[in-house]
Structures are given as structure tokens and as C-alpha cells.
Amino acid sequence: MRKLTIAISTVKAQRNAVIKKINALNDVTKKTVSFLVISQLEDEYENTFIDGIKIIKLTSKGLSKSRNVAIKETFTEWVWFQDDDFSINEIQLSSFLESSLTNNIDIALIRIGSLENCEKYYKNYVGYSKFTRLLSLKVSSIEIIAKVNFIKENTIAFDERLGLGTELPCCEENKFMLDSFDKGANIHFFSQTLCYHTTLPENRNVDYVKNLQAKGYFLKNFSIPIALILIFKWTFTIKSKFNFLKNLKLLTKGFFS
């Protein structure tokens, strides 16, 4: 019985490429993992199957909304949230499914390798052994493998005010992890590299103005002293195309909005 669904968020223009990518995976992977594709900006709403893959077509846009649809439509024990530019490490995924997902875990955070350099990582949690509220600031959604019963029973969802397709196009996964932690999730870090993602800034379409405002907005979930310390720190350290004064202005605008 399959225990993991890989839920891939995409848009109509990329849907067929995603289906082709899934079909190119080996037979072992396709027999042990379920795939669910949530495609946004479609001409009409539809639940269908293409090449045996369940496709949910949405006429709307919003990454968080598509993730929430994935949660609702997943009936395996676990769900792994993925973007449409995924590249799966099938060997490590098979090993991970056989031995790592146990009943005492509510959320597994796995490593994402760099597409451009096999010695680097998209995010690297080596050295972390215990999840904290502040670590919710670090997580990316494609690292999250969540126990479906836990998130459904605790009514945890992605905040649809945040994420691509909204005016605050990031931090939805950070809010998801923060809510999970606050609801008592048993969160584990894993060293396995289960997929790969670009680590080159030029390959990522980032709206720095809206992203900084979203980060400031998300900091409302922390106490004012911690939020102000992080705003001050990010003003100088956050990667953007602006100087520190512009960073400060955008972060504070989001925080006080």
C-alpha cells in the first residue's frame, strides 16, 4: 500500500511537462508513491486522470490554496509538498520510505540538493537536532513531508493570504511550520537528499519588494522584541537587490500593515 503522496503545484502552462516528468520516473517509484497534480489558472475546474495521474484543475491562482487542496485530496498517510521544477532522487526516496517515516513523527524535514552543484544544498539542516519556533523562518515547503492525519486533525493549513499568487508571495510554509510546532508536532530533521532544486538566484523569479513585505508581515507571529531584532538583522543580511535602508522600509511596512 502506498503511504506517500507527492503533491505537485503547477499552472496550466506547465501541467503537461509535470505529467511527462512523472511518467519518466522508474516503475518502482510510480508503484510505491502516489502523485497528485494541482494545476492553477485552468480554463475550468475539473478533477481528472491523465496517464493514471490524478489532476485537479483550478481556475484560480495561489500556491497556498493549491497546497490546501492537496491536503484535502490526499488519502495516503503522508504528503510531500512539491513545486513543478522538482527533480527526485529516486534511490534515496525509496530507502527513506522503507525505514524513516515512523509513527512517532508528524513532520519530516528532508534535505534538498543543489541542481548545479552536488556538493551543495538548497537548505542544509546538518547540525540541527531540535526544531524551534525560530527555525520555522528557515523552512521551504518542498522540504516538508507531513503526516496527513496530524495536520487534518489539528486543522493546520497554508495561510492563503501568503504565497505565490498573492500580494505577499512567500512565508506560507513558515506559517505552516510555526502552526504545526505550536500544535505540538513532533518534527524531525533527516539527512537524506530526496530531491534537487536550483540554488542560483538568477534562476528564481523573485519580487523583492513583495517578498520583504511578506517577511515583515510574517514576523507578527513573534513577540515584538524578537520581531524587531529580526527586522534589524535582516535589514543588513537579507539577500535582495536593495540597500539596507530600503530593506528596512519594506520589512517594517509589512510588519505594521
Side-chain angles (χ1 to χ4, degrees), residues 217-234:
Y217 179 85
F218 173 68
L219 288 179
K220 292 181 178 185
N221 293 286
F222 294 88
S223 67
I224 291 177
I226 290 177
L228 293 178
I229 289 170
L230 288 170
I231 287 173
F232 181 76
K233 177 183 176 182
W234 290 351

Side-chain angles (χ1 to χ4, degrees), residues 169-222:
C170 68
C171 297
E172 76 286 353
E173 62 269 79
N174 310 114
K175 183 68 164 58
F176 179 91
M177 288 302 301
L178 191 63
D179 290 344
S180 299
F181 178 80
D182 288 345
K183 289 292 181 68
N186 194 355
I187 302 168
H188 280 236
F189 297 98
F190 288 88
S191 61
Q192 290 98 324
T193 302
L194 300 192
C195 73
Y196 302 92
H197 192 277
T198 183
T199 53
L200 297 178
E202 58 267 29
N203 290 341
R204 303 176 66 193
N205 185 18
V206 177
D207 185 328
Y208 290 104
V209 170
K210 291 182 178 180
N211 271 37
L212 285 163
Q213 291 177 0
K215 291 179 186 298
Y217 179 85
F218 173 68
L219 288 179
K220 292 181 178 185
N221 293 286
F222 294 88

Side-chain angles (χ1 to χ4, degrees), residues 61 161-170 209-211 213-214:
K61 66 177 181 178
R161 294 168 296 182
L162 300 168
L164 290 176
T166 74
E167 289 301 305
L168 299 169
C170 68
V209 170
K210 291 182 178 180
N211 271 37
Q213 291 177 0

Side-chain angles (χ1 to χ4, degrees), residues 109-175:
L109 295 176
I110 51 87
R111 289 204 296 185
I112 309 298
S114 169
L115 276 174
E116 293 80 21
N117 187 336
C118 63
E119 296 180 355
K120 292 185 177 181
Y121 298 95
Y122 184 64
K123 299 279 182 69
N124 191 352
Y125 295 112
V126 172
Y128 293 113
S129 59
K130 184 178 180 180
F131 194 85
T132 66
R133 289 190 102 239
L134 283 176
L135 278 178
S136 66
L137 297 164
K138 187 178 178 69
V139 176
S140 299
S141 59
I142 59 176
E143 299 165 301
I144 301 170
I145 299 179
K147 185 178 287 182
V148 176
N149 281 348
F150 176 82
I151 55 180
K152 285 184 176 180
E153 288 173 1
N154 288 281
T155 60
I156 297 166
F158 288 88
D159 189 334
E160 295 185 10
R161 294 168 296 182
L162 300 168
L164 290 176
T166 74
E167 289 301 305
L168 299 169
C170 68
C171 297
E172 76 286 353
E173 62 269 79
N174 310 114
K175 183 68 164 58

Side-chain angles (χ1 to χ4, degrees), residues 18 51 54-55 69 94 136 138 178 192 199 236 244 250:
V18 170
D51 295 341
K54 186 174 182 179
I55 312 293
V69 169
S94 177
S136 66
K138 187 178 178 69
L178 191 63
Q192 290 98 324
T199 53
F236 295 96
F244 72 95
L250 292 169

